Amino acid sequence: QVQLVESGGGLVQAGGSLRLSCAASGRTFSSYNMGWFRQAPGKEREFVAVISRGGRSTSYADSVKDRFTISRDNAKNTVYLQMNSLKPEDTAVYYCAAQEGIWYRRASYEYDYWGQGTQVTVSS
């Protein structure tokens, strides 16, 4: 079992920045690829970013590429999402998730453990 707890959400003006954190406990953190997903009201949960177990490989949704950066610190059992140049359409609940496997995935059904989510609201 892996427990995931997100933090760092809040209200920010368009063009601003936020840094989300996701702290993991339980089984070995470095065994998991880590992803960020988001869900806006009335919409399905969507992929945002993923980072491989060792942190060498990342992948981003087109909508956040060049604005968001995913990183991880395996010594601290934490994954981060740095969000810059935020837009109102980035408003959503953001979730971190852990995926066990050699290759990272972008589909939410591939993920084994989920956090409770943190709200990000971007005002125009």
Side-chain angles (χ1 to χ4, degrees):
Q1 282 278 12
V2 176
Q3 293 79 42
L4 303 172
V5 179
E6 302 97 334
S7 61
L11 174 64
V12 64
Q13 289 188 336
S17 298
L18 280 175
R19 187 195 197 201
L20 305 183
S21 299
C22 173
S25 60
R27 294 181 61 186
T28 306
F29 178 69
S30 59
S31 298
Y32 294 90
N33 301 301
M34 297 298 297
W36 285 97
F37 293 79
R38 66 186 182 186
Q39 187 166 18
K43 295 188 177 181
E44 292 189 355
R45 189 171 298 187
E46 65 174 359
F47 167 79
V48 174
V50 62
I51 188 166
S52 62
R53 296 175 297 171
R56 294 178 181 177
S57 298
T58 59
S59 179
Y60 297 89
D62 288 345
S63 59
V64 306
K65 200 173 295 183
D66 299 326
R67 298 190 298 123
F68 291 10
T69 302
I70 188 171
S71 62
R72 67 189 296 164
D73 185 338
N74 285 348
K76 295 183 178 180
N77 285 4
T78 303
V79 61
Y80 305 97
L81 186 67
Q82 177 67 44
M83 306 185 295
N84 298 329
S85 302
L86 282 160
K87 304 175 181 180
E89 51 263 45
D90 294 318
T91 295
V93 177
Y94 283 71
Y95 299 90
C96 74
Q99 176 234 329
E100 192 168 22
I102 296 175
W103 307 108
Y104 64 69
R105 306 296 182 188
R106 295 162 62 110
S108 59
Y109 67 83
E110 300 273 10
Y111 284 73
D112 304 290
Y113 303 100
W114 292 83
Q116 83 290 349
T118 185
Q119 177 71 47
V120 171
T121 303
V122 184
S123 62
S124 57

